[in-house]
Each structure stands twice: as C-alpha cells, then as structure tokens.
Amino acid sequence: MAFFSRKKSINKEDILAKPLPKHIAIIMDGNGRWASKRGLPRVAGHRAGVESLKNIVQFCLDIKIPYLTVYAFSTENWKRPKEEVSTLMNLIIEYIQRELDILHRNGVRINPIGKIEDLPEKTLEYIINARNSTQENDKLVLNVALNYGGRTEITQAVSLICQKIKKGELTCEEINEELIGQFLYTHNQPDPDLMIRPSGEMRISNFLLWQLAYTEFWVTNVLWPDFKPQHLVDAIYDFQNRERRFGGLNFS
Ligand code: FPP
C-alpha cells in the first residue's frame, strides 16, 4: 500500500530549493521482517540495516542536515533473545571500527543518547571513544539512541531537577519547558522537525517523547534495510509541503 502517490519523481535538487529540516529522527524498523522475507536469520536484517544507516548518514552530510537521530536500541529491546541482543551490540562495535575514521573526517559528531552506562563493557568502550574523538566535529550531529527510552529520559530529568532543588541550586519557580529540555540527552539541540518510521508501524515506541511534540511524522511501508536516500528525499519533499502550525493558526 502506498501512503501517497505522486506523478513526478522528486530529486535532490527539488528539496534543496526549499528550507530543509534541521533535525531528522528515524526509527530504523523492519530489519527482522526484511530477513524473514528472505529466509534469513533476524540478525542478517540488522546487518543490512547498518548499510542503510551508512547511506543515510552520507546523504544527510551531502545535503547538509545538521542533526540526525537514529533509534538503534531501546530500553525494551533487552527482552529480545540473548543472541540477537549480543549481535546488535557487536554490530555497534563493528560499525564504529569500520566507520569512525570516515565519519570523523566528514565532520560527524557521534553523540550516544540513552542509559549507555548499562551497555556491555566492550560496546560502551567503543561508544565512549567514538563520542570523545568526534566531539569537536560540527557538520552533522549523529545522535545514536542506545538503551534509550523516552520515559526513562524524562524520569531522569525530573530526578536531576529534584536533586538540584534539594541542594538549593534551583527553585520550583524556575521549572519551565526550556529548563526541562536542558536536562534531556538532546539539550542544546533543536527538536526534530521530521520523524521517519519505515515498515508501516504507526507507533512512537517510547522514542523522543518530549522532543517530538510538534514533529511532522512520515511513515512508509518500506523496511529499513530497503530504505534508500530517495525515500529520504520523498519524506523531506512531503515535509516541505506541509503546513506547520505548532498549535496556532496560519493566516497567510
Ligand atoms: C528494529 O527492527 C531495529 C532494531 C531494534 C535495531 C536497529 C539497529 C540497527 C539498524 C543496527 C545497529 C545500529 C548501529 C548504530 C550500528 P526490528 O528488529 O524490530 O524489525 P521487525 O519489526 O521487522 O522485527
């Protein structure tokens, strides 16, 4: 089923003619189904998903998107079979081993978001090294959501704010949306303008619950391993042709 139909195919030049989203968020979904359809183990789907990720990061660099957030592992994903979890953890290591140099040369800042301290030691080591060695880069911030949960993120922010109030470093009167934003993993970043979910699911899955308040959603039936830069072009084109009102009215 197509979610929209369009006669003319849209290309990169079409989207470059209009303002681009500053921040794109993606739920990299459908790896397991992609593998099952081919009679392959689920982990083959995750491996193919890494290739899509590489292509999309490169394309975001190419069109100068400053922030990209990808959902790689949720706080709920620990419920998956042990073998799948450990493959995912190893894929993250492999991705860093293979891609870190090129990402660094291209000016990508790798910014893990989530309770990374609970990840396996070796994976954590690679992630911290990737974060530290790219922290000065400014072409693209790549937020990689790892052991990430939106509710956990907000709960942690509330807890940190309470601790500050207890110590007398903050007062209750100072609590507002901006202050809460400063205690989230994405502090100092714009909220996503566009959130993409491949594989046809219509759920938010505990992803960026605070930050997605006014984000435009774009869903496609394409599975993540089949997701190509052309799909991102289509998503951005749709985004550019929507009217964002942020709860107000547009009189123009
Ligand atoms: C969801 O598809 C995908 C994941 C839980 C993992 C996403 C991870 C990667 C693409 C690779 C590792 C990441 C990095 C940063 C190198 P699913 O397995 O739930 O698919 P299904 O719904 O079809 O079963």
Side-chain angles (χ1 to χ4, degrees), residues 16-246:
L16 290 177
K18 281 188 168 184
L20 292 167
K22 284 193 173 59
H23 188 167
I24 298 175
I26 305 180
I27 300 181
M28 303 187 288
D29 197 14
N31 298 346
R33 273 163 284 172
W34 183 92
S36 305
K37 274 169 93 180
R38 287 163 177 74
L40 298 169
R42 290 178 55 80
V43 292
H46 295 313
R47 205 166 269 287
V50 176
E51 294 308 307
S52 292
L53 175 62
K54 284 187 205 166
N55 293 335
I56 293 303
V57 168
Q58 190 48 52
F59 189 71
C60 285
L61 278 164
D62 185 19
I63 62 169
K64 300 190 170 58
I65 301 287
Y67 297 90
L68 173 66
T69 300
V70 291
Y71 208 179
F73 195 85
S74 76
T75 45
E76 288 73 36
N77 286 152
W78 298 108
K79 294 179 205 153
R80 294 187 176 210
K82 246 187 181 170
E83 194 209 323
E84 184 172 341
V85 171
S86 73
T87 303
L88 279 167
M89 294 301 142
N90 287 333
L91 275 179
I92 293 160
I93 295 175
E94 254 180 56
Y95 175 71
I96 295 171
Q97 281 173 335
R98 291 204 183 142
E99 296 296 306
L100 185 59
D101 272 0
I102 179 85
L103 290 169
H104 187 39
R105 268 186 276 129
N106 284 333
V108 177
R109 174 153 80 87
I110 299 174
N111 185 44
I113 61 170
K115 281 189 85 183
I116 58 165
E117 63 277 16
D118 294 341
L119 292 171
E121 206 179 316
K122 192 166 173 215
T123 310
L124 182 60
E125 218 175 89
Y126 274 86
I127 289 164
I128 290 183
N129 175 48
R131 179 180 68 189
N132 293 348
S133 56
T134 61
Q135 63 187 348
E136 304 297 335
N137 294 342
D138 60 1
K139 294 279 180 286
L140 169 68
V141 175
L142 176 61
N143 294 317
V144 185
L146 287 164
N147 194 23
Y148 174 89
R151 287 188 173 180
T152 302
E153 179 181 32
I154 294 169
T155 307
Q156 279 184 350
V158 172
S159 168
L160 286 168
I161 291 169
C162 284
Q163 286 167 36
K164 292 224 173 260
I165 292 175
K166 250 190 184 168
K167 287 192 210 155
E169 293 168 9
L170 263 183
T171 64
C172 293
E173 290 67 36
E174 286 173 287
I175 299 177
N176 56 30
E177 291 184 9
E178 200 194 322
L179 180 104
I180 293 172
Q182 283 167 20
F183 286 86
L184 300 178
Y185 299 124
T186 51
H187 56 92
N188 298 331
Q189 298 187 18
D191 287 338
D193 304 293
L194 173 62
M195 198 282 274
I196 296 173
R197 182 156 197 164
S199 91
E201 305 293 351
M202 298 286 187
R203 288 186 291 275
I204 197 166
S205 300
N206 203 11
F207 187 44
L208 303 174
L209 294 181
W210 179 275
Q211 297 89 335
L212 295 180
Y214 287 104
T215 301
E216 295 293 325
F217 286 10
W218 192 84
V219 175
T220 173
N221 280 335
V222 171
L223 305 173
W224 177 246
D226 291 326
F227 193 93
K228 302 276 180 293
Q230 181 60 50
H231 298 113
L232 187 54
V233 167
D234 289 341
I236 293 174
Y237 182 82
D238 263 25
F239 165 83
Q240 289 173 325
N241 287 286
R242 290 186 192 176
E243 187 192 345
R244 297 184 83 191
R245 296 202 301 257
F246 299 94

